[in-house]
Amino acid sequence: MTVKVLVLAVFLLCALFALSAAVRARKLTYLHTTVLKSRILTEAALAARAAAARRCAKIPELNAENARLLDETAAAAAQLAGIGLCADNLAQVSGEKLFSPADPEECERRLLAESELSRVIRRVIDPLEAKTLSAASAREIAALAEKREDLRMIRRFHNIHVTQARRVHATPTARIFRLAGSVQMPKTVDLDDR
């Protein structure tokens, strides 16, 4: 009787462990998909912000030097849009052709350009007083402010999803059974987006 109970207990433990591994693998796949979706949204938000900044560079209330600086910085950020934000292989392993593979130096260069655009916007646009703006200029600046806020929120959610995926990656079950396959640990998007 005790041998049967022992065999049944071992079988149940193995079944529970296999079920736990399957649930973690499914959760990891879901989290990787969520990270990819939020990364796509982050890319779109960065592109929208750069386009809005270039439109703001044309408002008549900016002096020529500030207008040129804003336009050039936004153009430089937009030009680097083909470079991924993170040097992980998440998109390539998933079979999606979302982002070209990027080395860490290229990603860093892209993040620096995006951060520089944030700094230039703060220096050039934020000091403008609403009462001195024409209605058209005020609309352009309001649109840029909306794009900046969208970017902050989307990037924040992306980084939360990455943190969740990293937490599941770090579990002993995921490491021992290589539930993530050949996917690297997802990376956060760290840039100045204020």
Side-chain angles (χ1 to χ4, degrees):
M1 184 77 167
T2 59
V3 173
K4 287 183 181 181
V5 170
L6 184 62
V7 168
L8 183 60
V10 168
F11 176 76
L12 286 175
L13 278 174
C14 289
L16 283 174
F17 193 72
L19 181 63
S20 171
V23 167
R24 286 202 188 276
R26 189 177 184 108
K27 181 173 183 163
L28 202 52
T29 299
Y30 169 77
L31 287 170
H32 286 165
T33 302
T34 304
V35 167
L36 279 174
K37 288 178 182 176
S38 62
R39 196 170 292 169
I40 291 167
L41 290 174
T42 304
E43 290 278 355
L46 287 166
R49 181 187 68 160
R54 292 196 81 183
R55 285 192 303 274
C56 282
K58 294 176 177 59
I59 65 173
E61 289 82 3
L62 285 181
N63 64 40
E65 182 183 332
N66 283 344
R68 184 185 51 76
L69 176 65
L70 182 59
D71 188 56
E72 287 176 358
T73 308
Q79 186 177 15
L80 295 174
I83 297 171
L85 292 167
C86 302
D88 56 22
N89 67 345
L90 192 57
Q92 284 73 37
V93 171
S94 73
E96 302 288 335
K97 298 297 181 198
L98 303 171
F99 312 106
S100 59
D103 65 83
E105 290 175 6
E106 289 292 307
C107 290
E108 185 64 25
R109 194 176 79 150
R110 165 99 190 273
L111 293 173
L112 288 173
E114 297 292 354
S115 295
E116 180 62 21
L117 178 56
S118 296
R119 287 188 285 277
V120 168
I121 290 170
R122 281 197 307 273
R123 189 170 66 229
V124 171
I125 298 294
D126 290 353
L128 295 176
E129 294 184 23
K131 60 185 172 192
T132 64
L133 298 173
S134 68
S137 297
R139 279 193 301 276
E140 290 298 340
I141 290 175
L144 177 59
E146 183 181 320
K147 300 304 180 198
R148 290 167 72 188
E149 186 59 29
D150 289 348
L151 173 60
R152 279 187 212 102
M153 295 301 293
I154 290 167
R155 190 182 71 84
R156 186 175 301 135
F157 284 123
H158 174 273
N159 289 347
I160 288 169
H161 297 223
V162 168
T163 302
Q164 291 171 341
R166 291 174 73 95
R167 194 175 300 128
V168 174
H169 267 264
T171 61
T173 305
R175 284 193 323 245
I176 290 169
F177 291 101
R178 295 185 44 81
L179 297 180
S182 60
V183 174
Q184 296 172 4
M185 195 78 78
K187 296 186 174 146
T188 58
V189 175
D190 298 318
L191 60 90
D192 178 356
D193 60 5
R194 293 178 289 126

